[in-house]
Amino acid sequence: MAAMLGVGGVAGALVAPVLHRRLGSYGAIVAVFWALAVFAPVTVLVDSGYLIGVLFALMALFPSTANTAIMTDQLLRTPDELRGRLTSTLVLACGAAGAAGPALGGSLAQVMPGDRAILLCAAGMTAAAVLATASPTLRTLSRRHEEGRPTQAD
């Protein structure tokens, strides 16, 4: 299953340019949230490790495109003298979230049945997907930097 997650990530990196052209920055970012929100609860219904691996691969398909869109926007908006500080802050926050997520998920699975824990996490993912979809800030990313420079509003 974990190998399929890696396969999805590599495939996502290979198709990232095509996905970015088709989805734009906003679409790529929202696609990550919706892929998680849709495919995570399906894992409760699937018994085959291979099929769960396919679901993991589908979940890992979009993050490369979204990360590229986010990093490009960050680099274009952040003044040169603040880029190092912003990047280190984001790396620290993402690293903390990366460590806390599995710990919290494992703790949740200890206090309730695994399928309920997955569905509860999926509900949180769905809430995040709805918020990301409705975010006016993310919507402005859609075609802002097609030419590689900020718009007048930036």
Side-chain angles (χ1 to χ4, degrees):
M1 290 187 296
M4 291 298 290
L5 184 67
V7 168
V10 170
L14 293 173
V15 299
V18 174
L19 285 175
H20 191 265
R21 276 193 302 275
R22 293 205 178 179
L23 299 174
S25 296
Y26 167 74
I29 294 166
V30 171
V32 171
F33 287 101
W34 283 110
L36 292 172
V38 169
F39 295 126
V42 175
T43 62
V44 172
L45 305 173
V46 177
D47 288 332
S48 168
Y50 294 112
L51 292 177
I52 291 175
V54 169
L55 291 172
F56 283 179
L58 290 171
M59 287 186 241
L61 195 61
F62 299 103
S64 296
T65 307
N67 286 339
T68 301
I70 292 166
M71 294 300 290
T72 300
D73 189 65
Q74 172 193 336
L75 289 172
L76 289 172
R77 290 172 154 245
T78 307
D80 290 341
E81 63 273 8
L82 296 178
R83 284 187 184 152
R85 293 178 199 158
L86 178 64
T87 301
S88 64
T89 302
L90 290 174
V91 168
L92 178 65
C94 290
L104 292 173
S107 298
L108 189 61
Q110 290 296 312
V111 298
M112 63 176 49
D115 57 346
R116 288 188 190 163
I118 291 170
L119 292 175
L120 182 61
C121 289
M125 292 174 200
T126 302
V130 169
L131 289 172
T133 303
S135 170
T137 303
L138 286 179
R139 286 182 193 210
T140 63
L141 292 177
S142 187
R143 300 285 180 209
R144 182 186 302 156
H145 302 298
E146 282 185 348
E147 298 169 6
R149 56 190 165 86
T151 60
Q152 298 297 336
D154 292 339

